[in-house]
Amino acid sequence: MPYVSGHEGPSSFDCSGLTQWAYGQAGARLSRVTYTQQNDGTKIGRSQLKPGDLVFFNNLSHVGLYAGNNTVLHAPYPGANVRYEAMGYLGSFQFGVRIGG
């Protein structure tokens, strides 16, 4: 699935569209953009991350889904497909957000 700015899936996504779509598949609601998704749950530190948490990078300009083992599922940038990558590759980690419990 390719990155396309403003897309919410299921055939293409931008970063916050991917996280919104994924949570929607589980019956949870997220706001649409990265800058508001940071307020949709409880902020947590890197050591508290669990698979499924939102992870924010680069002054909140990018969001992905924590997949465990320091990896993130994300829609990286135009021309690239949704993929798993190491957290260190994504730039400056800001914080995580846990949705629900």
Side-chain angles (χ1 to χ4, degrees), residues 11-67:
S11 60
S12 59
F13 297 97
D14 66 11
C15 66
S16 57
L18 174 64
T19 54
Q20 182 188 47
W21 181 85
Y23 269 88
Q25 298 308 294
R29 294 182 55 93
L30 281 185
S31 56
R32 174 58 187 94
V33 298
T34 303
Y35 300 105
T36 57
Q37 286 181 0
Q38 68 170 312
N39 298 313
D40 287 346
T42 303
K43 290 182 181 171
I44 56 175
R46 190 173 186 148
S47 66
Q48 298 170 292
L49 291 173
K50 294 181 181 178
D53 289 335
L54 300 177
V55 285
F56 293 84
F57 296 88
N58 302 326
N59 296 319
L60 306 178
S61 66
H62 190 61
V63 63
L65 297 162
Y66 186 67

Side-chain angles (χ1 to χ4, degrees), residues 70-81:
N70 286 314
T71 60
V72 175
L73 177 65
H74 70 127
Y77 50 81
N81 286 325

